[in-house]
């Protein structure tokens, strides 16, 4: 496994070098845009039109703010017993996982996170877990638009009695011929991600999509790489919500353009029409963005890979599927995972929609074997239901 893993590293590094060349170009053009209105000192503003919420003191005030955040996020806390097998209860009862899970970490990011405190903390932390080197104006103008109650919670709970059952559908080859479509669609909410092909695979993967998760990079790469397999457009629909995983400046810039319904004004995705990704005139309610603190927490608590001790550390991040599964684990009461890596992955193609079997490749930016162990362990402890064959 390692030799293949290492071979793949070379390809990844090559691709990332190209990316960073573009990124460098993008970044300098944005800085100059940021300079021009005031002729001032780069991106160290407040610049026009941006109201910053004053710094929140530490201590009790900070706790109150956090409590407020949590109240908004989990409107009616799960009443133990109404959902006899809720994952929160299972976690609480598990000597290992109760030390790993922290249901109080902020899951989503929205306008009230625009505080001086958050800026001070996050602007010191590099992407994908922070805002280091990101122009403040770009982050702020995106977050400012996340001011609807729908941006602040994964879903509205219909009273305390409701037990929210979620399915997270990865794109793994194990789903080919699974006939799990009906079961998947039977959940209250269905999460999908990246190249989530549905047409032609309804029997195996279902049709319902409540949440579609991605980074702008993985979404656009999926549209290119899996087009030949039928991923010709991103999922759209009245009840569908988009979950942005912020991993660099592109995600903030695209989110802003998506909500405003304008062409991407500058940078790597300049000229893109967000309506092609999110539909024409999407409601601002359709958008959610994961909190960088949540990303950091998933890495450090659940998937602290040995890759972090190598020269590839800065490329490492949990996979998009992994992040969606962990998002569901921190918002739903019951979670079933389909299309995720299992120990018999060699039997299946990389994705369920390939026509010829393509072996799963391992890249340095994810640790799929570590994820495999995590999903297996969560399943064994009754915290998720993992689809295996
Ligand atoms: C809690 O753990 C004990 C022992 O491991 C087990 O017997 C019990 O069923 C668990 N309860 C829940 C709610 O999972
Ligand atoms: C959110 O902000 C926009 C633009 O500033 C404003 O038009 C809108 O009314 C706000 N929405 C809410 C729910 O406050
Ligand atoms: C998908 O499943 C079918 C039937 O079970 C099989 O013939 C085909 O080879 C599989 N596709 C891949 C890419 O493994």
């Amino acid at each position: 496994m390692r030799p293949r893993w290492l071979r793949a590293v070379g390809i990844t590094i090559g691709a990332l070098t190209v990316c960073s060349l573009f990124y460098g170009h993008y970044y300098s053009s944005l800085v100059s845009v940021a300079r021009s209105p005031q002729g001032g000192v780069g991106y160290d503003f407040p610049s026009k039109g941006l109201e910053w919420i004053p710094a929140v003191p530490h201590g009790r005030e900070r706790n109150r703010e956090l409590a407020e955040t949590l109240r908004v996020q989990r409107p009616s806390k799960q009443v133990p017993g109404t959902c006899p097998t809720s994952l929160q209860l299972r976690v609480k009862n598990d000597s290992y996982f109760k030390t790993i899970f922290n249901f109080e970490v902020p899951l989503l990011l929205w306008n009230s996170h625009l505080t001086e405190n958050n800026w001070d903390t996050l602007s010191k932390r590099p992407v994908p877990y922070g805002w280091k080197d990101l122009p403040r104006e770009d982050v702020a103008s995106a977050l400012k638009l996340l001011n609807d109650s729908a941006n602040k919670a994964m879903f509205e709970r219909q009273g305390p009695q409701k037990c929210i059952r979620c399915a997270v559908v990865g794109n793994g080859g194990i789903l080919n011929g699974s006939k799990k479509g009906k079961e998947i669609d039977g959940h209250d909410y269905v999460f999908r991600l990246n190249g989530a092909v549905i047409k032609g695979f309804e029997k195996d993967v279902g049709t319902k999509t409540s949440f579609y998760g991605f980074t702008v990079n993985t979404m656009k790469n999926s549209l290119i790489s899996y087009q030949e397999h039928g991923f010709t457009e991103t999922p759209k629909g009245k009840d569908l919500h988009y979950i942005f995983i912020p991993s660099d400046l592109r995600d903030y810039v695209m989110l802003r353009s998506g909500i405003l319904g304008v062409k991407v004004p500058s940078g790597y995705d300049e000229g893109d029409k967000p309506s092609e990704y999110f539909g024409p005139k999407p409601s601002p309610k359709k958008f959610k963005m994961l909190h960088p603190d949540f990303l950091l927490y998933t890495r450090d608590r659940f998937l602290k890979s040995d890759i972090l001790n190598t020269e590839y550390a800065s490329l490492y991040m949990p996979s998009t599927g992994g992040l969606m599964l962990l998002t569901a684990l921190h918002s739903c009461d019951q979670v079933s995972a389909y299309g995720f890596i299992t120990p018999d992955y060699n039997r299946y193609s990389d994705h369920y929609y390939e026509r010829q079997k393509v072996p799963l490749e391992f890249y340095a930016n994810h640790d799929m074997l570590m994820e495999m162990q995590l999903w297996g362990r969560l399943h064994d402890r009754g915290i998720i239901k993992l689809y295996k064959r």
Side-chain angles (χ1 to χ4, degrees):
M1 219 155 288
R2 288 286 151 175
R4 204 166 64 182
W5 182 89
L6 281 173
R7 238 191 8 243
V9 165
I11 300 167
T12 313
I13 303 296
L16 276 148
T17 311
V18 176
C19 284
S20 61
L21 287 177
F22 279 109
Y23 187 80
H25 167 74
Y26 172 26
Y27 184 52
S28 36
S29 66
L30 268 170
V31 170
S32 56
V33 169
R35 268 167 208 265
S36 47
Q38 290 144 316
V41 282
Y43 47 87
D44 188 18
F45 34 96
S47 121
K48 58 174 176 168
L50 296 176
E51 301 106 323
W52 283 82
I53 294 159
V56 177
H58 291 280
R60 260 176 67 188
E61 195 56 32
R62 172 85 190 129
N63 286 341
R64 238 201 2 242
E65 190 199 39
L66 188 63
E68 186 66 14
T69 302
L70 296 169
R71 196 180 61 74
V72 177
Q73 211 156 285
R74 299 186 60 80
S76 48
K77 242 196 146 105
Q78 187 58 45
V79 180
T82 57
C83 187
T85 54
S86 89
L87 70 94
Q88 295 91 338
L89 286 181
R90 291 287 175 99
V91 167
K92 220 162 138 188
N93 195 29
D94 189 288
S95 58
Y96 173 69
F97 279 113
K98 76 176 176 197
T99 66
I100 305 293
F101 275 85
N102 176 358
F103 291 105
E104 316 231 314
V105 170
L107 179 61
L108 297 175
L109 189 63
W110 65 83
N111 70 331
S112 36
H113 294 116
L114 273 180
T115 62
E116 288 294 340
N117 258 1
N118 271 341
W119 179 261
D120 287 348
T121 310
L122 287 165
S123 64
K124 290 188 183 79
R125 220 195 275 156
V127 294
Y129 309 105
W131 296 338
K132 191 167 160 38
D133 297 337
L134 302 189
R136 189 166 174 163
E137 183 177 55
D138 290 300
V139 174
S141 57
L143 260 63
K144 232 183 98 142
L145 299 170
L146 293 171
N147 62 345
D148 191 278
S149 61
N151 307 133
K152 306 177 187 180
M154 287 299 290
F155 21 69
E156 284 176 30
R157 286 182 177 256
Q158 288 125 23
Q161 300 299 308
K162 182 89 170 101
C163 175
I164 293 183
R165 298 173 60 248
C166 299
V168 187
V169 186
N171 300 324
I174 192 173
L175 280 172
N176 176 29
S178 68
K179 305 256 185 334
K180 285 285 151 186
K182 271 213 182 94
E183 187 179 304
I184 289 169
D185 286 347
H187 290 77
D188 297 312
Y189 298 96
V190 179
F191 290 68
R192 299 183 198 268
L193 53 118
N194 292 346
V197 180
I198 288 183
K199 198 159 177 280
F201 297 90
E202 294 87 347
K203 277 207 176 81
D204 290 340
V205 305
T207 57
K208 182 168 171 173
T209 307
S210 320
F211 300 105
Y212 174 69
F214 56 88
T215 70
V216 170
N217 186 49
T218 64
M219 174 183 77
K220 289 180 67 173
N221 281 346
S222 299
L223 284 167
I224 296 166
S225 305
Y226 310 127
Q227 183 178 37
E228 59 168 319
H229 299 303
F231 192 67
T232 51
E233 60 168 331
T234 52
K236 297 184 185 68
K238 188 170 77 58
D239 299 322
L240 190 146
H241 294 84
Y242 297 101
I243 302 182
F244 278 68
I245 301 167
S247 68
D248 74 33
L249 185 55
R250 296 172 67 187
D251 300 292
Y252 296 93
V253 173
M254 184 64 79
L255 177 79
R256 176 179 180 274
S257 308
I259 295 179
L260 293 177
V262 299
K263 269 193 196 170
V264 178
S266 60
Y268 192 86
D269 304 298
E270 182 175 342
D272 278 17
K273 293 192 197 112
S275 61
E276 288 173 10
Y277 308 132
F278 315 118
K281 291 202 193 313
S283 159
K285 291 178 190 292
K286 291 182 97 66
F287 298 88
K288 300 178 200 293
M289 185 175 249
L290 294 182
H291 197 299
D293 285 357
F294 180 71
L295 300 180
L296 184 64
Y297 154 83
T298 60
R299 183 196 74 178
D300 286 354
R301 290 281 188 93
F302 291 88
L303 292 163
K304 198 162 191 170
S305 169
D306 288 342
I307 297 174
L308 291 166
N309 304 321
T310 71
E311 61 197 286
Y312 311 113
S314 65
L315 308 178
Y316 174 72
M317 197 176 169
S319 70
T320 308
L323 286 170
M324 281 304 106
L325 187 43
L326 287 161
T327 298
L329 275 165
H330 288 78
S331 49
C332 311
D333 299 317
Q334 283 182 6
V335 172
S336 314
Y338 302 85
F340 280 79
I341 183 172
T342 51
D344 59 348
Y345 64 85
N346 269 329
R347 288 175 54 202
Y348 315 110
S349 192
D350 193 357
H351 303 99
Y352 57 80
Y353 37 77
E354 277 124 10
R355 278 171 212 97
Q356 307 270 314
K357 186 174 167 187
V358 177
L360 179 62
E361 286 278 3
F362 294 90
Y363 295 95
N365 58 338
H366 299 316
D367 191 337
M368 298 314 284
L369 296 179
M370 189 180 197
E371 294 195 11
M372 181 178 84
Q373 281 170 4
L374 176 63
W375 314 141
R377 197 161 182 186
L378 285 164
H379 175 85
D380 293 343
R381 304 302 300 160
I383 296 167
I384 63 170
K385 203 177 107 203
L386 176 66
Y387 173 61
K388 306 183 201 179
R389 328 176 54 160

